[in-house]
């Protein structure tokens, strides 16, 4: 399904450095840079609340139209710097794109359904890399594990990709492994020994208390 990019108004930045960035953040704005092949980097600032909502709703592959001086520039979120304490966005990088242009992105893989009784599902990889039209990037790719038996596996090549998408990840890469519950016998033995030791220590402590009271 085609994406309708969210328009976000920005302003060009003429001042740089940590001091300028702090002043912008204090005013509720986020500094950023737009990179695009063949043009000079554009330094801008956008409203923190608006950009945070876009990233939260549309994910790390969000497509936006950055409006600067009346001109709308189509771009994809490339990188987000977050404050380690507040998790607020401190800086954002955008990558300029053209309509109809294909981009290479990582897309989350999620499972749906239930495996066969007794089977345990291990998801070995959470994302795959695909090449797709910038305005058709899916939020996620879903794969069914319904009825999968012990020994079944799902690789990147088994995924049903969106129309026009090309898989970049190695098709042989294992995504989902259906197996049985594995019990570590050594850990079980240690746990049993610890329980027995605790019970013996408790009994000795009780006996000692009784002797002391006598």
């Amino acid at each position: 399904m085609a994406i309708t990019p969210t328009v976000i108004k920005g302003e060009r930045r003429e001042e740089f450095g940590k001091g300028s960035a702090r002043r912008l953040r204090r005013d509720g704005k986020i500094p950023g840079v737009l990179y695009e092949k063949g043009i000079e980097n554009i330094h801008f600032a956008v409203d923190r609340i608006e950009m945070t909502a876009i990233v939260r709703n549309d994910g790390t592959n969000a497509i936006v139209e950055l409006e600067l001086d009346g001109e709308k520039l189509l771009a994809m979120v490339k990188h987000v710097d977050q404050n380690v304490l507040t998790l607020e966005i401190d800086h954002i990088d955008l990558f300029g794109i053209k309509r109809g242009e294909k981009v290479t992105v990582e897309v989350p893989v999620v499972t749906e359904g239930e495996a066969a009784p007794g089977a345990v599902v291990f998801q070995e990889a959470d994302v795959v890399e695909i090449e797709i039209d910038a305005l058709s990037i899916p939020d996620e790719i879903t794969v069914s594990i319904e009825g999968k038996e012990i020994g079944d596996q799902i690789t990147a090549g088994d995924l049903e990709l969106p129309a026009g998408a090309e898989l970049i990840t190695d098709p042989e890469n294992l995504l989902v492994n259906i197996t049985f519950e594995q019990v570590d016998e050594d850990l079980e033995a240690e746990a049993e020994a610890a329980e027995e030791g605790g019970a013996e220590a408790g009994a000795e402590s009780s006996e000692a208390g009784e002797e002391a009271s006598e």
Side-chain angles (χ1 to χ4, degrees):
M1 185 174 66
I3 297 170
T4 301
T6 301
V7 177
I8 182 167
K9 291 186 176 181
E11 58 188 50
R12 293 181 184 272
R13 288 192 293 133
E14 304 298 338
E15 296 182 355
F16 311 102
K18 293 182 179 179
S20 173
R22 279 195 296 267
R23 286 192 294 273
L24 285 171
R25 296 186 192 109
R26 189 173 58 240
D27 293 338
K29 298 176 181 178
I30 299 172
V33 180
L34 185 146
Y35 303 90
E36 186 172 348
K37 295 176 182 177
I39 69 171
E40 188 175 344
N41 296 342
I42 298 174
H43 298 263
F44 64 87
V46 290
D47 183 83
R48 181 194 297 277
I49 294 176
E50 288 184 30
M51 182 55 78
T52 299
I54 290 172
V55 173
R56 181 181 295 122
N57 295 333
D58 298 339
T60 54
N61 294 324
I63 302 295
V64 301
E65 280 191 315
L66 179 64
E67 185 174 338
L68 294 173
D69 304 327
E71 181 184 8
K72 292 180 180 178
L73 305 172
L74 190 64
M76 180 175 68
V77 173
K78 192 66 175 176
H79 181 74
V80 174
D81 282 331
Q82 288 181 295
N83 185 291
V84 294
L85 297 178
T86 66
L87 297 182
E88 291 184 336
I89 298 176
D90 280 344
H91 187 278
I92 191 161
D93 290 338
L94 302 180
F95 182 72
I97 54 179
K98 304 297 183 186
R99 294 185 182 276
E101 178 181 355
K102 287 195 170 185
V103 294
T104 299
V105 294
E106 286 188 341
V107 178
V109 175
V110 298
T111 61
E112 65 176 7
E114 296 288 338
V120 177
V121 179
F122 286 102
Q123 187 156 349
E124 306 290 348
D126 297 324
V127 299
V128 290
E129 196 172 38
I130 64 173
E131 185 181 66
I132 191 169
D133 186 302
L135 296 182
S136 300
I137 301 172
D139 293 331
E140 59 190 24
I141 297 175
T142 303
V143 60
S144 175
I145 58 169
E146 186 65 36
K148 292 293 184 182
E149 303 279 353
I150 294 173
D152 288 341
Q153 294 183 330
I154 299 173
T155 65
D158 295 325
L159 295 178
E160 183 176 344
L161 300 180
E166 178 183 348
L167 183 67
I168 302 301
T169 296
D170 186 337
E172 299 300 319
N173 275 17
L174 180 62
L175 301 180
V176 182
N177 194 18
I178 315 298
T179 184
F180 53 87
E181 186 174 3
Q182 298 178 346
V183 178
D184 192 317
E185 296 181 358
D186 291 337
L187 288 178
E188 274 200 340
E190 289 178 9
E192 290 177 1
E195 287 180 4
E196 291 175 0
E200 291 175 0
E204 291 176 359
S205 176
S206 177
E207 291 174 2
E210 291 176 357
E211 291 176 359
S213 63
E214 291 175 359

